[in-house]
Amino acid sequence: MDTDTVRSPAADDSAGRRREQRGWYFYDWACSVYSTSVLTVFLGPYLTSVAEAAADADGFVHPLGVPVRAGSFFAYAVSLSVVVAVLAMPLVGAAADRTGRKKPLLAAAAYTGAAATAGMFFLDGDRYLLGGLLLVVANAAQSVAMMLYNSYLPQIAPPEERDAVSSRGWAFGYAAGALVLVANLVLYTGHDSFGLSEGMAVRICLASAGLWWGAFALIPLRRLRDRRTPAREAALPGFRQLAATVRDMRRHPLTLAFLLAYLIYNDGIQTVISQASVYGSKELGLGQSTLIVAVLLVQVLAVAGALLLGRCARRYGAKRTILGSLVAWTLTLAAGYFLPAGAPGWFFVLAAGIGLVLGGSQALSRSLFSHLVPPGKEAEYFSAYEISDRGLSWLGPLLFGLTYQLTGSYRDAIVSLVGFFVLGFVLLARVPVRRAITDAGNPVPQRI
């Protein structure tokens, strides 16, 4: 036999792991377009305009007979989708761990979300209820799918590879978001030259995100594989399963301590993302085109930032790199307080600072948490992580709104968010991650 063609079992295992990792990256590539084009840019203003077209003389719509201001309908629909996701994620996560069959559940969640997003093409006229329903389904499905997707990380990457693998996944997602957003903006801004109305252009942009999501989800679904797990007890309904997961986490208090730190500083991150455009338009007087370019800049630089911080983690460890990113967030917000009004160049500098730390801080938080999850409970624990990421990020917007209400200044409101990063830094610095990894039953990487 030709010895050059003989592959060792270790080489086969490494090749199979690389194949799974490459497939895993492509789910971020598939679904991040929904977050960027649909949620961040197009759906909010468009669904609000559809609701306004259906409103009565006082500006109210009446879903299920409940009077709701048309301008609030989108926010309420997003809130309802979070409630649905919070009910579904612990249940699906426990079922995935119990059966070991994550891939069919990931496929179901991904294609439910992709189909709902593609269905937004039919959102026209006064069909605000259809838009609300599709938003709730798509947003909840995305949360469930992301929870399952994240839970693959400790299974496809050994401890020493996770920071790099997680960072590449985030980079793939931001790259796809930027690429499709550029194409959508070309269509939207030049809709007349394409013979399209503005509304039709938006509907095509919304539907294209669903088609992109569904098409590229095929790659991870072909390459990822299920793992057999020991038989476990049946999953409990909704909040009871979440409560059971939290009770189990109490046996791993250091994991819970990290999750608390992440909840705090991630609340600050999510609030900056959601309120930066408000700050730019209301306080700095910047136009819509400037804000969209800033969103694109954040997407592009987040790719480089995720990869750069991933390299830093290999040298300094994930915990130190995350702590450094929280210092950078604090300095960026402090600088944002002093931005002059009517100066888009300085706002782009702020957007660049956000982009460089955004992807890396999120990617490394995910990989660090993966070390703290007891083996066999990946999906269940990542359901709690995803709820922290999506379902509990309300303190930051509340503080932002209250600060503006009390001071009348968006500058004071934006700088009030510094507290989340300072407190998150202190809480994370106090977590002995090596001991936390050992207590969870996992091997400790050389650098963490």
Side-chain angles (χ1 to χ4, degrees):
M1 181 181 293
D2 185 355
T3 57
D4 289 339
T5 64
V6 176
R7 294 175 59 88
S8 69
D12 288 338
D13 182 65
S14 177
R17 187 173 73 249
R18 300 294 181 203
R19 174 181 168 82
E20 276 198 280
Q21 289 172 359
R22 288 191 292 269
W24 187 80
Y25 301 148
F26 269 97
Y27 188 74
D28 233 326
W29 175 272
C31 75
S32 292
V33 171
Y34 168 82
S35 298
T36 304
S37 289
V38 177
L39 277 185
T40 303
V41 177
F42 288 110
L43 185 58
Y46 185 70
L47 181 56
T48 300
S49 69
V50 172
E52 288 172 346
D56 59 21
D58 296 322
F60 285 85
V61 291
H62 299 269
L64 304 178
V66 179
V68 173
R69 283 199 178 275
S72 300
F73 182 74
F74 174 73
Y76 288 148
V78 171
S79 296
L80 179 58
S81 73
V82 170
V83 173
V84 174
V86 167
L87 288 170
M89 281 191 288
L91 185 63
V92 175
D97 287 335
R98 188 183 73 252
T99 64
R101 292 179 57 78
K102 293 181 188 176
K103 194 156 69 169
L105 294 170
L106 175 60
Y111 282 101
T112 297
T117 306
M120 292 176 187
F121 178 79
F122 301 102
L123 177 58
D124 63 350
D126 59 359
R127 298 177 178 174
Y128 76 96
L129 278 177
L130 173 64
L133 176 63
L134 293 175
L135 170 58
V136 169
V137 172
N139 223 31
Q142 190 210 30
S143 295
V144 171
M146 283 301 295
M147 174 266 295
L148 293 166
Y149 162 73
N150 287 337
S151 71
Y152 270 102
L153 179 59
Q155 296 180 335
I156 65 170
E160 65 275 8
E161 294 182 4
R162 280 185 209 163
D163 293 339
V165 170
S166 183
S167 296
R168 290 188 199 114
W170 277 104
F172 265 60
Y174 282 115
L179 178 64
V180 175
L181 185 56
V182 168
N184 286 342
L185 290 177
V186 169
L187 178 65
Y188 175 71
T189 57
H191 60 84
D192 287 333
S193 61
F194 292 106
L196 301 172
S197 67
E198 182 177 342
M200 175 61 78
V202 171
R203 288 160 54 199
I204 291 174
C205 292
L206 294 173
S208 68
L211 296 177
W212 178 284
W213 187 355
F216 284 103
L218 290 171
I219 298 175
L221 291 173
R222 285 179 62 87
R223 294 194 173 189
L224 293 172
R225 62 185 180 86
D226 289 328
R227 272 86 172 162
R228 293 183 179 274
T229 59
R232 292 176 57 199
E233 68 277 3
L236 300 170
F239 281 116
R240 290 180 60 195
Q241 180 59 55
L242 177 60
T245 302
V246 172
R247 283 197 300 271
D248 186 75
M249 280 185 167
R250 292 173 63 184
R251 299 192 299 111
H252 304 281
L254 298 180
T255 299
L256 208 53
F258 170 82
L259 197 59
L260 175 62
Y262 172 75
L263 187 156
I264 298 296
Y265 69 74
N266 182 66
D267 200 351
I269 292 173
Q270 297 303 320
T271 306
V272 172
I273 293 171
S274 65
Q275 302 301 322
S277 61
V278 175
Y279 182 66
S281 62
K282 300 298 184 183
E283 184 68 35
L284 304 181
L286 303 177
Q288 184 67 28
S289 59
T290 299
L291 298 177
I292 291 174
V293 172
V295 170
L296 268 176
L297 183 61
V298 168
Q299 293 290 313
V300 171
L301 289 180
V303 177
L307 297 176
L308 176 63
L309 291 190
R311 292 175 64 88
C312 291
R314 287 201 296 272
R315 181 168 183 176
Y316 302 108
K319 179 182 174 181
R320 287 183 180 178
T321 305
I322 295 171
L323 290 172
S325 77
L326 297 181
V327 173
W329 274 107
T330 300
L331 296 176
T332 300
L333 287 184
Y337 179 85
F338 297 102
L339 287 186
W346 286 110
F347 189 71
F348 292 150
V349 172
L350 181 70
I354 291 174
L356 286 173
V357 293
L358 174 62
S361 54
Q362 292 176 313
L364 294 178
S365 296
R366 175 172 66 184
S367 62
L368 183 54
F369 183 71
S370 73
H371 293 287
L372 310 181
V373 176
K377 295 188 175 183
E378 292 85 3
E380 186 177 341
Y381 271 57
F382 267 105
S383 70
Y385 180 87
E386 193 70 15
I387 289 169
S388 298
D389 189 14
R390 298 175 187 273
L392 298 180
S393 295
W394 55 272
L395 279 173
L398 177 62
L399 178 62
F400 187 92
L402 286 175
T403 303
Y404 177 74
Q405 181 173 328
L406 294 173
T407 67
S409 169
Y410 283 108
R411 294 183 187 275
D412 292 337
I414 201 74
V415 82
S416 71
L417 302 178
V418 165
F420 288 93
F421 297 103
V422 173
L423 181 56
F425 180 99
V426 171
L427 292 176
L428 178 58
R430 291 170 58 88
V431 178
V433 291
R434 289 186 175 275
R435 183 150 59 90
I437 295 169
T438 302
D439 290 351
N442 294 317
V444 181
Q446 184 175 1
R447 288 199 179 276
I448 193 65

